[in-house]
């Protein structure tokens, strides 16, 4: 895991110092002496908020909570999206059906030429909506029909009106049944008619049938062909469902395996033996247009390279939204009360995280589904900067050194002094010397590793000083060095956790102290 001593890194890397060191050409007169010089390699005076916010990446944000404590927030939106069609398909198929109505003079009063009793017939048409799950009972639906086409073949050669009444379909505007009159004209054997039927309400009450009642009223029999018939073909196209109210049996939808690699700048450069005290992995279920309550058997998260797994046995429930107006957000969390998230968080950044294995459950019952309705899961990792550490390791680099006349150095040491407002002590057990290609030239072990920068306490910040001496072997490589790397180890006070707040400050200065042999130095 990584974090807190990014504070030191930013302090040193963003601070200012003299990179053009030991340039004796700037001095006035040559003398034969061995003076000691002190050069500032880095300095800084920053609050924790100043330091850490500069390292936040696009995917991770540094925030302050209501108490001013700092926390890292990493977001991963839409890790799963479940649409209406994953529960029940609202895609309708075009329909075609026909009917035949025999015409006999027994229905007709020849003397008056009018219908004694209108001719009725009913055609039962399946309400075609593709069912992905068995035993689904449709109660009600709102839909529109882009075109409803009628072809009437008047073989009886009569005049009158054939009215098609859709018994279960109602206009949303008027509340009336949909009734479409078609005119029959003697001498015109075929009548073609097409219309759009928008904004319908289908009241089915569990049936999958839409009865169509045909009412034939004959007004002209002058050219009537007895014992002939009237045929009608009906077709629909572009049926578009807006919503469906149905009774859905219990269902389980498995969540597929997915993965991502989180890159969190504030966590990328630390290692060691430590853990965050209150990390939280929050899943937000955003629902709109799915009118039912759901349950989620928790997903299992695995850090592949580290071989660690995060899981919980809890089942999380959340409410749906059956008006298709406002999005409903439900949150559930993996935290220290219901999971092993503490040991998992320290391998989060930079590892391939696989997740899945859970399932979405619906207990059964009445449900409203709206076209375009969705259930979306978002992931948020929150890490308050509150941790306990026995060894939190960070490597910091002082770059672009230009040590002129470094071969004249007889003795050298690094000294860090300043004031620590953080609730962790830190030391520098080792320094690395690198060349311009980041190749290792030499390691400098701190002969006094117990000398540390003390932690702040209830009384306030602590002053400290760390000193690291170079030996003769180290000095031979100093002239070739272009970078100095500090190994920084931080520890919290035993039995306590370190809380990093926004106003904690660091005031640090890193000096290179060198005793130089000035004999033979040539001055211009």
């Amino acid at each position: 895991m990584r974090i807190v001593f990014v504070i030191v890194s930013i302090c040193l890397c963003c601070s200012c110092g003299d990179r053009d060191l030991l340039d004796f050409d700037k001095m006035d007169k040559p003398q034969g002496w061995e003076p000691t010089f002190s050069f500032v390699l880095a300095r800084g005076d920053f609050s924790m908020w100043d330091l850490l916010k500069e390292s936040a990446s696009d995917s991770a944000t540094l925030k302050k909570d209501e108490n001013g404590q700092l926390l890292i927030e990493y977001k991963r939106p839409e890790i799963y999206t479940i649409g209406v069609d994953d529960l029940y398909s609202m895609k309708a198929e075009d329909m075609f059906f026909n009917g035949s109505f025999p015409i006999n003079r027994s229905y007709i009063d020849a003397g008056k030429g009018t219908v004694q009793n209108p001719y009725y017939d009913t055609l039962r048409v399946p309400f075609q909506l593709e069912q992905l799950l068995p035993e689904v009972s449709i109660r009600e639906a709102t839909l529109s029909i882009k075109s409803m086409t009628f072809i009437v073949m008047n073989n009886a050669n009569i005049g009158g009106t054939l009215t098609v009444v859709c018994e279960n379909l109602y206009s949303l505007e008027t509340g009336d049944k949909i009734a479409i009159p078609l005119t029959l004209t003697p001498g015109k054997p075929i009548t073609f008619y097409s219309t759009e039927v928008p904004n319908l309400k289908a009241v089915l009450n569990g049936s999958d049938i839409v009865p169509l009642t045909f009412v034939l009223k004959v007004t002209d029999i002058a050219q009537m062909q007895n014992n002939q018939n009237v045929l009608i073909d009906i077709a629909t196209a572009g049926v578009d469902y807006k919503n469906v109210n149905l009774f859905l049996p219990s269902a389980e939808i498995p969540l597929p395996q997915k993965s991502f690699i989180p890159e969190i700048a504030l966590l990328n450069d630390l290692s060691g033996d430590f853990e965050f005290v209150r990390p939280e992995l929050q899943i937000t279920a955003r629902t709109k247009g799915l009118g039912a309550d759901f349950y989620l058997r928790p997903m299992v998260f695995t850090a592949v390279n580290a071989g660690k797994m995060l899981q919980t046995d809890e089942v999380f429930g959340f409410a749906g939204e059956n008006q298709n107006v406002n999005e409903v957000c439900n949150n559930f969390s993996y935290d220290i009360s219901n999971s092993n998230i503490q040991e998992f968080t320290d391998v989060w950044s930079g590892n391939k995280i696989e997740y899945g294995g859970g399932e979405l459950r619906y207990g059964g019952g009445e449900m409203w589904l709206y076209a375009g309705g969705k259930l979306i899961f978002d992931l948020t990792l929150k890490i308050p900067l509150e941790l306990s550490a026995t060894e939190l390791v960070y490597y910091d680099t002082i770059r672009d050194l230009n040590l002129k006349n470094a071969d004249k150095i007889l003795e050298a040491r690094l000294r860090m002094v300043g004031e620590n407002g953080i609730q962790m002590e830190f030391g520098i057990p080792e320094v690395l010397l690198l060349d311009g290609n980041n190749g290792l030239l030499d390691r400098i072990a701190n002969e006094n590793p117990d000398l540390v920068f003390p932690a702040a306490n209830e009384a306030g910040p602590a002053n400290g000083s760390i000193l690291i001496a170079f030996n003769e072997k180290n000095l031979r490589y100093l002239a070739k060095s272009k970078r100095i790397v500090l190994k920084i180890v931080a520890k919290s006070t035993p039995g306590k956790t370190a809380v990093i707040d926004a106003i904690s400050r660091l005031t640090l200065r890193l000096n290179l102290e060198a005793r130089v042999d000035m004999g033979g130095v040539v001055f211009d």
Side-chain angles (χ1 to χ4, degrees):
M1 194 60 219
R2 304 107 162 113
I3 183 62
V4 165
F5 262 87
V6 146
I7 56 177
V8 177
S9 85
I10 302 176
C11 175
L12 297 181
C13 292
C14 295
S15 56
C16 60
D18 186 357
R19 296 297 190 269
D20 195 18
L21 302 178
L22 302 178
D23 187 357
F24 301 125
D25 294 341
K26 300 176 181 178
M27 302 180 68
D28 294 333
K29 298 178 180 180
Q31 299 289 336
W33 80 105
E34 297 177 358
T36 297
F37 297 91
S38 180
F39 303 94
V40 178
L41 290 180
R43 76 174 89 228
D45 181 4
F46 304 99
S47 70
M48 294 308 303
W49 177 252
D50 295 331
L51 293 173
L52 292 176
K53 70 179 180 181
E54 300 301 328
S55 288
S57 65
D58 292 339
S59 58
T61 303
L62 187 72
K63 293 190 172 183
K64 306 175 188 177
D65 67 12
E66 62 276 8
N67 299 317
Q69 184 178 347
L70 296 177
L71 62 88
I72 301 168
E73 184 175 87
Y74 172 81
K75 291 182 176 291
R76 191 85 186 183
E78 299 186 16
I79 59 172
Y80 287 112
T81 298
I82 298 172
V84 163
D85 287 347
D86 294 309
L87 296 172
Y88 191 84
S89 176
M90 294 178 68
K91 179 182 178 181
E93 298 178 356
D94 295 340
M95 294 180 283
F96 176 83
F97 40 91
N98 54 41
S100 175
F101 310 100
I103 303 300
N104 190 287
R105 285 189 181 273
S106 63
Y107 294 106
I108 307 297
D109 181 355
K112 298 180 181 179
T114 59
V115 177
Q116 288 180 334
N117 296 297
Y119 179 88
Y120 290 90
D121 200 358
T122 298
L123 181 65
R124 297 173 63 82
V125 179
F127 187 77
Q128 293 186 340
L129 189 62
E130 181 185 359
Q131 296 189 12
L132 299 182
L133 298 172
E135 302 175 8
V136 175
S137 175
I138 302 174
R139 307 296 182 84
E140 186 178 306
T142 300
L143 66 153
S144 65
I145 303 175
K146 187 174 183 180
S147 67
M148 198 167 186
T149 302
F150 305 88
I151 299 176
V152 182
M153 288 154 281
N154 187 5
N155 297 329
N157 202 23
I158 58 176
T161 303
L162 176 63
T163 302
V164 182
V165 180
C166 306
E167 296 291 343
N168 288 0
L169 301 182
Y170 298 84
S171 167
L172 287 178
E173 283 78 13
T174 65
D176 298 331
K177 291 181 182 179
I178 300 299
I180 301 171
L182 306 171
T183 301
L184 303 179
T185 303
K188 187 177 180 180
I190 297 179
T191 298
F192 176 86
Y193 180 75
S194 182
T195 183
E196 182 178 3
V197 191
N199 301 324
L200 303 178
K201 180 171 73 171
V203 180
L204 300 173
N205 296 319
S207 172
D208 61 352
I209 298 296
V210 176
L212 299 183
T213 298
F214 299 89
V215 181
L216 176 62
K217 182 176 183 181
V218 179
T219 58
D220 187 349
I221 60 171
Q223 303 178 46
M224 178 180 173
Q225 299 294 314
N226 194 26
N227 296 321
Q228 294 296 319
N229 57 15
V230 175
L231 301 175
I232 182 169
D233 291 338
I234 305 174
T236 64
V239 180
D240 182 19
Y241 289 90
K242 308 301 181 184
N243 60 59
V244 175
N245 175 252
L246 47 79
F247 185 91
L248 186 69
S250 60
E252 297 180 356
I253 300 176
L255 300 177
Q257 192 81 9
K258 294 186 178 182
S259 66
F260 64 96
I261 299 178
E263 291 294 340
I264 306 177
L266 290 173
L267 302 183
N268 277 343
D269 298 318
L270 300 180
S271 61
D273 184 10
F274 68 98
E275 63 182 9
F276 291 104
V277 176
R278 294 187 297 111
E280 177 186 4
L281 181 63
Q282 179 177 291
I283 305 294
T284 300
R286 295 188 283 125
T287 307
K288 184 177 181 182
L290 293 180
D293 295 340
F294 297 94
Y295 297 88
L296 180 70
R297 190 181 71 187
M299 294 167 276
V300 175
F301 290 83
T302 303
V304 177
N305 298 333
K308 289 191 177 182
M309 182 180 296
L310 167 67
Q311 58 185 355
T312 175
D313 294 329
E314 288 194 29
V315 175
F316 299 108
F318 50 92
E321 191 279 313
N322 62 7
Q323 298 298 320
N324 200 36
V325 177
N326 298 313
E327 189 175 80
V328 174
C329 293
N330 299 268
N331 297 318
F332 52 92
S333 298
Y334 299 80
D335 55 35
I336 59 175
S337 69
N338 64 8
S339 72
N340 61 335
I341 191 170
Q342 269 184 307
E343 67 179 49
F344 188 76
T345 312
D346 65 348
V347 295
W348 182 270
S349 184
N351 266 297
K352 181 180 180 182
I353 305 296
E354 291 183 347
Y355 61 97
E359 61 187 12
L360 185 68
R361 295 179 179 180
Y362 175 63
E366 186 178 71
M367 174 189 291
W368 275 98
L369 299 179
Y370 285 80
K374 289 183 179 180
L375 168 61
I376 298 172
F377 291 119
D378 300 325
L379 177 150
T380 303
L381 176 66
K382 296 182 178 180
I383 307 177
L385 297 189
E386 183 175 338
L387 69 161
S388 61
T390 57
E391 185 183 52
L392 177 63
V393 181
Y394 177 76
Y395 288 89
D396 179 58
T397 302
I398 308 299
R399 303 177 183 277
D400 302 324
L401 296 178
N402 187 9
L403 297 169
K404 293 185 178 181
N405 296 296
D407 57 328
K408 303 297 183 180
I409 297 177
L410 300 175
E411 294 178 1
R413 56 189 180 183
L414 292 174
R415 185 188 296 273
M416 179 180 286
V417 295
E419 184 179 83
N420 180 19
I422 303 166
Q423 297 177 5
M424 300 182 76
E425 69 174 38
F426 64 88
I428 304 176
E430 186 178 50
V431 175
L432 308 180
L433 300 180
L434 306 182
D435 61 21
N437 296 318
N438 289 323
L440 178 63
L441 297 173
D442 197 14
R443 294 178 180 270
I444 305 171
N446 189 348
E447 296 180 355
N448 189 13
D450 295 331
L451 185 62
V452 297
F453 224 94
N457 52 40
E458 292 78 5
N463 295 314
S465 176
I466 297 175
L467 190 65
I468 300 175
F470 291 64
N471 59 32
E472 291 184 9
K473 175 177 172 289
N474 307 148
L475 290 176
R476 289 199 300 269
Y477 292 105
L478 188 57
K480 301 177 182 179
S481 299
K482 295 300 181 183
R483 293 173 175 84
I484 295 178
V485 179
L486 308 178
K487 179 181 179 180
I488 301 169
V489 176
K491 298 179 182 180
S492 55
T493 303
K496 296 184 178 180
T497 59
V499 178
I500 311 300
D501 60 33
I503 61 174
S504 294
R505 301 189 71 84
L506 280 173
T507 303
L508 297 174
R509 186 176 74 252
L510 181 66
N511 284 8
L512 174 64
E513 298 177 353
R515 184 169 65 86
V516 180
D517 178 8
M518 299 300 293
V521 174
V522 177
F523 296 87
D524 295 332

